Amino acid sequence: MPRFQHEIELSPLPRPWLEHAVRVLYDVAEELRFDDEGRLTIGGESVDAVRLTEGGHLAEGARYELSSDLEEWQIAVQVEVLAWKPSGVSRLKVDVQVDQITARATIELHREKDRLRTIRCTGRVGIRGKWARFLQLSWDAEADLHRWWEHAASRRKARREERAAPP
């Protein structure tokens, strides 16, 4: 199977914006509530499409199932909490099936003192059936956000110094 490796440099997202967004996601996740049958409850109403099927909410080993029938697509998502530490490492395993397409990913967020340090995502996507071994893709991506923002700050400083230098 061919293997490609590439490193890319992206313009950084504003650090305060991204850290606020991640903080909100953690807060929202922690505020979710499930009834005795494992269904998500919002405003006292149960949401049948989202269920906690195993373990305690956000505890290691917790499993969630999300399902939906969208006209011609049947979508099933399973999420397992491998680790959940808002100030530390949180790791989720996500399995998605959309008709004959299957995908599996592990997503890891590393935070220190309410600051996002790294994001890592590994996974595989493919189809089921006789062509499955030929039609699959896997990936492994990591973003070191601390280095990303440090590098962006040093580039901004260098540009300012260039502009300030006499001609």
Side-chain angles (χ1 to χ4, degrees), residues 9-160:
E9 184 175 325
L10 300 172
S11 296
L13 294 170
R15 186 177 198 157
W17 177 87
L18 184 60
E19 288 179 345
H20 176 74
V22 170
R23 194 169 30 255
V24 167
L25 288 173
Y26 271 86
D27 290 346
V28 167
E30 290 176 358
E31 290 175 7
L32 294 176
R33 297 293 174 251
F34 295 83
D35 65 18
D36 294 339
E37 295 174 12
R39 292 180 302 224
L40 175 66
T41 58
I42 297 176
E45 298 292 320
S46 295
V47 178
D48 289 331
V50 181
R51 300 178 70 87
L52 173 62
T53 60
E54 206 172 298
H57 177 51
L58 296 180
E60 187 175 317
R63 292 179 186 260
Y64 303 85
E65 289 183 0
L66 298 84
S67 61
S68 180
D69 289 327
L70 299 174
E71 294 183 24
E72 50 194 76
W73 299 90
Q74 284 189 339
I75 301 170
V77 179
Q78 294 181 340
V79 178
E80 180 182 359
V81 176
L82 302 174
W84 187 264
K85 295 184 180 137
S87 185
V89 176
S90 295
R91 191 176 304 110
L92 303 173
K93 183 172 79 173
V94 181
D95 290 306
V96 179
Q97 184 167 332
V98 180
D99 288 332
Q100 296 298 310
I101 301 168
T102 60
R104 170 173 278 172
T106 301
I107 302 163
E108 180 176 298
L109 300 174
H110 182 202
R111 295 174 74 203
E112 289 178 3
K113 300 178 185 170
D114 218 22
R115 289 191 169 246
L116 190 56
R117 300 290 290 189
T118 60
I119 299 172
R120 184 178 180 106
C121 183
T122 60
R124 164 179 245 120
V125 66
I127 64 165
R128 295 186 302 163
K130 65 180 181 178
W131 298 102
R133 64 183 260 209
F134 300 109
L135 298 172
Q136 55 183 300
L137 170 72
S138 61
W139 65 88
D140 185 357
E142 183 172 354
D144 183 335
L145 300 172
H146 181 69
R147 275 189 29 215
W148 190 29
W149 285 312
E150 276 185 350
H151 180 68
S154 67
R155 288 182 63 185
R156 282 191 303 271
K157 181 180 177 186
R159 282 194 301 266
R160 280 193 305 269

